[in-house]
Amino acid sequence: MTDAANPKLASVNDRPPSPLKPIVWVQRNLFNNLFNSILTLLALGSIYFIGRAVLEWAFISADWRPVTHNPILYLVGQYPRDQLWRVGASLLLVSFLTGMSWGKWQGIMRSFALLLGIGLAILGIIPAGGQLGSLAVRAFFLINVPAIFLGYMLGSRKFVTSGWVLAGWLISFLLIPFLLRGVGEGTMLPAVETSMWGGLLVTLILAVGGILLSFPLGVLLALGRRSSLPVIKIFSIGFIEGIRGVPLITILFMSSIILALFLPPELRIDRLVRALIGMTIFSAAYTAENVRGGLQAVPVGQIEAAKAVGLNNFQTTFFIVLPQALRAVIPAIVGQFISLFKDTTLAIIVAINELLNIGKSILQSDVEFLQLQFEVFIFVAAVFWVFSYLMSFASRRLEAALGVGER
Amino acid sequence: MSDPIIICRDVEKWFGDFQALKGIDMEVYKGEVIVIFGPSGSGKSTFIRTINRIEVHQRGQIIVDGMELTHDVRNIAAIRSEIGMVFQLFNLFPHLSVLQNITLAPIWVRKWSKDKAEEIAQQLLERVGIPEQAEKFPGQLSGGQQQRVAIARALAMQPKIMLFDEPTSALDPEMIKEVLDVMIELAQSGMTMIVVTHEMSFARAVADRMFFFDEGLIVESGTPDDIFNNPQEDRTKLFLSQILTN
């Protein structure tokens, strides 16, 4: 049939409407009548004045000396300056493994590796005073960039399996605390008490450690709560409800101070480890409830199908139920991790020098800084925001990546 | 005829106070195709689900291939790996690709190598007519294609018996035939099958015997010829007249 014979066919569009030109879009959406035009102008006006005020404060009137005076303090606290290479080596290991993960898995790891490289490169060349400006520290930062690419080259090789990369991460999580803590006098690695650690280093150790430990614990508790074995079920319910009923500050106090009072001195656990345990059990209880929500969302037909093909209970749980349950609750779990990350600031009450506490002590370290709280807190808030946003970003990318084949 | 591969004696099952099965007796021989039909709530789905112990019967005896279904976990695992099941709502694993859906159990239960499992999976996809869908996820397939993957998944364990629980009830009309064709081919290949269905064309084509269930009892059984042309019970006649005029 020709188009002439069927006029309706001839008028059918063979391509989607082209997007509006910017000027037309503005006319139609922002200035389509008098009222909207006034609103648009008002909004533009307020953006201009608020933005100008903020920029003027940040670049002209704010006094950033408490931040720029000794940036190393924010990064590692009182960690002995002659031992900083150990922190540098740990960072180097993380960079290398991030690069390897990029090579192996692409996707989100690519974004992370690039962000890490760019961030560290900026730290390495930013004009800064004090020790951050020293050539050695700059070199520590800049050497991470080739390390990331070296890792990438290695990771994209065929013979490097996912198992290798995972094993690398696992080993590094055991190696890094050992490297930072050291063994004793007279060795390559003199002991550095954790009371000397501080700043972003401690914040990240509490957050990453808390997340990595509380996630599997939370999953086990969620499974335990649905177990048919009464002992496991009652223990899980008791643990979850007991912990959720208590504020984090109380848990930190109990794990740090009360526990230490009752344990004999030779059994005394390191203060940072005690805080980490407190954060972990607190976060695990919440993670468990999030995961339980996901477990309930898996249709019973999935379990029947898994059993019908002959999978046992363990295989059904790990291959069929958990993957679907966890995917359903990624946003909730990441939300829980973001709040865990921000809750690391509460470790302040058990005298741990995490990032916010460092900021406060810097304020008190110099009479001239006493009035500059605003600058310090804005800076600390910005650092927290960057990390929290990265987690949120990762969550969205992860959801999108796992959404393939979603019903 | 040899010994029956499935023996059910006086099988009873309650859900709370409601008795779903009121004493079912059935013997199925190797290579037989059994069609079970009846109104909803008659216990037909519950019955075939007791055969691989997705539902647990409370009284009576079920013996599959010489093994009695009891609480013994090893028996249950052994029996489940000899029985394939196809569900009304497909129940494919949505987070796994078609190929992974099919190879999961052979790899982990039968302990086959990944290569062997994938080779056989590909042959089965060929057999059910969708070899090109191996890398897709269930959510990207039509209902008829999903059900055919589910059949391939069940066949991958190389079962001696296949159970079908209303395999075409959730399908759009134009997709029913593609699934029935696969089932007919399977029946003709000599597979022992128990099929809960209202597709009487399927029953006419390949069923050896038919069982009419109502209110947890077998009301009537016989060859398709007996059931369609000479039903004895009034309830059977009424039910057949309702579904055949539709």
Side-chain angles (χ1 to χ4, degrees):
Chain A
M1 200 189 295
T2 62
D3 286 353
N6 189 340
K8 205 170 174 198
L9 257 188
S11 70
V12 169
N13 286 321
D14 58 352
R15 62 185 61 186
S18 52
L20 295 176
K21 285 191 188 118
I23 185 84
V24 183
W25 185 91
V26 167
Q27 268 174 6
R28 284 200 197 160
N29 290 283
L30 301 179
F31 295 97
N32 54 342
N33 61 35
L34 182 65
F35 181 67
N36 277 356
S37 306
I38 292 173
L39 272 187
T40 302
L41 290 176
L42 276 178
L44 285 177
S46 4
I47 290 170
Y48 172 74
F49 283 111
I50 295 172
R52 205 178 101 163
V54 168
L55 291 178
E56 258 179 16
W57 176 80
F59 288 103
I60 297 167
S61 57
D63 181 354
W64 293 107
R65 275 179 306 153
V67 176
T68 53
H69 166 68
N70 196 350
I72 292 276
L73 267 178
Y74 287 99
L75 290 173
V76 297
Q78 304 285 351
Y79 203 89
R81 295 303 185 253
D82 58 343
Q83 297 295 323
L84 276 183
W85 68 270
R86 283 148 70 169
V87 184
S90 306
L91 180 61
L92 199 62
L93 189 57
V94 169
S95 293
F96 180 73
L97 285 168
T98 308
M100 262 183 105
S101 310
W102 168 21
K104 193 75 235 159
W105 297 312
Q106 298 294 332
I108 180 103
M109 292 315 297
R110 179 172 175 270
S111 319
F112 271 143
L114 292 175
L115 279 173
L116 185 68
I118 293 168
L120 291 173
I122 290 174
L123 277 177
I125 55 173
I126 204 170
Q131 229 167 341
L132 188 66
S134 79
L135 225 53
V137 175
R138 284 178 192 279
F140 267 141
F141 284 125
L142 289 176
I143 198 172
N144 284 285
V145 177
I148 290 173
F149 282 99
L150 201 68
Y152 170 72
M153 309 263 267
L154 191 61
S156 35
R157 292 294 158 87
K158 270 264 153 54
F159 66 89
V160 179
T161 61
S162 298
W164 282 34
V165 184
L166 283 176
W169 279 112
L170 197 68
I171 292 169
S172 79
F173 287 133
L174 300 172
L175 191 65
I176 287 174
F178 174 75
L179 188 64
L180 293 175
R181 179 69 177 70
V183 276
E185 289 310 315
T187 58
M188 272 271 291
L189 300 171
V192 179
E193 295 299 325
T194 54
S195 53
M196 306 289 282
W197 306 12
L200 190 60
L201 175 68
V202 160
T203 297
L204 289 180
I205 285 176
L206 283 176
V208 174
I211 288 170
L212 290 178
L213 295 173
S214 70
F215 179 67
L217 186 58
V219 170
L220 286 180
L221 284 169
L223 292 172
R225 192 167 186 165
R226 284 160 56 101
S227 169
S228 52
L229 301 170
V231 179
I232 293 176
K233 183 172 183 158
I234 290 170
F235 172 80
S236 302
I237 293 178
F239 184 97
I240 292 168
E241 298 303 340
I243 297 294
R244 289 205 312 158
V246 181
L248 177 56
I249 290 194
T250 318
I251 291 175
L252 286 174
F253 253 125
M254 293 209 300
S255 65
S256 268
I257 292 157
I258 301 179
L259 203 66
L261 281 180
F262 287 107
L263 284 176
E266 59 268 24
L267 267 180
R268 197 150 285 178
I269 310 165
D270 183 87
R271 186 168 46 177
L272 187 60
V273 174
R274 289 192 308 244
L276 181 58
I277 292 173
M279 311 252 1
T280 300
I281 60 174
F282 183 78
S283 176
Y286 281 89
T287 305
E289 285 300 272
N290 287 335
V291 173
R292 189 166 68 98
L295 291 175
Q296 281 167 346
V298 177
V300 67
Q302 290 289 309
I303 297 163
E304 288 176 358
K307 288 187 171 164
V309 291
L311 298 183
N312 61 30
N313 284 339
F314 181 84
Q315 291 163 338
T316 303
T317 303
F318 280 86
F319 295 140
I320 306 302
V321 178
L322 270 185
Q324 296 185 54
L326 293 180
R327 185 166 72 178
V329 294
I330 290 170
I333 289 181
V334 174
Q336 168 58 31
F337 289 163
I338 289 175
S339 70
L340 167 77
F341 175 63
K342 295 183 295 185
D343 284 348
T344 56
T345 50
L346 291 174
I348 221 170
I349 62 140
V350 289
I352 282 169
N353 281 320
E354 47 65 57
L355 189 56
L356 183 61
N357 207 5
I358 290 283
K360 284 180 75 176
S361 28
I362 286 177
L363 283 175
Q364 285 152 9
S365 66
D366 195 323
V367 193
E368 286 186 43
F369 294 166
L370 278 176
Q371 298 303 314
L372 301 174
Q373 302 183 13
F374 203 58
E375 283 82 349
V376 169
F377 290 142
I378 285 276
F379 170 71
V380 171
V383 174
F384 271 99
W385 180 83
V386 167
F387 282 94
S388 301
Y389 185 77
L390 279 180
M391 282 197 261
S392 168
F393 170 77
S395 155
R396 268 177 286 139
R397 288 287 297 268
L398 201 60
E399 280 169 63
L402 293 177
V404 184
E406 195 91 66
R407 260 187 289 209
Chain B
M1 212 180 260
S2 59
D3 285 339
I5 193 167
I6 300 173
I7 303 168
C8 301
R9 286 198 197 107
D10 201 26
V11 173
E12 296 187 21
K13 164 84 188 167
W14 283 262
F15 292 109
D17 286 337
F18 174 72
Q19 188 170 9
L21 300 177
K22 298 176 181 167
I24 304 291
D25 289 293
M26 191 184 288
E27 290 186 347
V28 180
Y29 292 86
K30 206 166 174 355
E32 265 196 313
V33 176
I34 305 290
V35 164
I36 297 176
F37 67 110
S40 59
S42 61
K44 53 195 192 306
S45 282
T46 307
F47 172 66
I48 73 162
R49 287 155 64 92
T50 59
I51 295 173
N52 65 352
R53 214 173 170 81
I54 283 179
E55 298 287 357
V56 177
H57 64 283
Q58 287 142 327
R59 215 172 268 168
Q61 239 186 344
I62 300 177
I63 300 166
V64 178
D65 201 24
M67 283 177 286
E68 175 162 10
L69 281 176
T70 59
H71 287 287
D72 189 335
V73 179
R74 274 164 305 170
N75 261 1
I76 298 172
I79 287 169
R80 279 187 183 147
S81 61
E82 290 195 359
I83 302 180
M85 183 154 194
V86 176
F87 298 87
Q88 182 176 1
L89 296 174
F90 328 136
N91 294 356
L92 293 178
F93 307 129
H95 60 299
L96 300 179
S97 73
V98 164
L99 203 62
Q100 289 167 327
N101 262 280
I102 300 173
T103 56
L104 183 69
I107 290 174
W108 288 94
V109 182
R110 287 263 188 261
K111 311 287 183 201
W112 291 355
S113 72
K114 191 164 178 257
D115 288 343
K116 181 185 177 191
E118 288 186 351
E119 194 188 317
I120 290 182
Q122 201 60 49
Q123 288 169 6
L124 286 169
L125 284 176
E126 202 90 41
R127 185 170 172 188
V128 299
I130 40 174
E132 71 287 356
Q133 312 287 1
E135 299 303 326
K136 290 201 180 156
F137 284 84
Q140 298 167 304
L141 304 182
S142 73
Q145 290 171 327
Q146 288 192 47
Q147 194 60 298
R148 287 188 279 162
V149 172
I151 294 173
R153 176 177 72 179
L155 289 175
M157 288 292 284
Q158 302 186 325
K160 295 181 178 167
I161 301 160
M162 286 284 285
L163 307 176
F164 292 82
D165 187 4
E166 306 206 33
T168 56
S169 304
L171 294 175
D172 290 335
E174 76 269 23
M175 291 170 187
I176 290 177
K177 186 175 178 297
E178 65 189 48
V179 172
L180 286 183
D181 285 347
V182 171
M183 290 169 60
I184 288 171
E185 185 270 324
L186 194 59
Q188 286 163 347
S189 76
M191 176 66 76
T192 309
M193 293 164 67
I194 303 184
V195 185
V196 173
T197 187
H198 292 153
E199 289 300 326
M200 291 303 146
S201 64
F202 173 80
R204 274 204 181 91
V206 291
D208 294 304
R209 283 186 294 154
M210 298 176 71
F211 288 80
F212 176 61
F213 272 51
D214 195 12
E215 294 180 354
L217 284 167
I218 295 175
V219 175
E220 186 167 358
S221 65
T223 63
D225 196 39
D226 295 335
I227 297 285
F228 288 122
N229 302 329
N230 191 18
Q232 302 296 310
E233 301 286 331
D234 289 341
R235 277 190 283 178
T236 318
K237 288 177 197 162
L238 179 66
F239 185 77
L240 280 173
S241 72
Q242 282 165 345
I243 62 168
L244 290 177
T245 50
N246 278 345

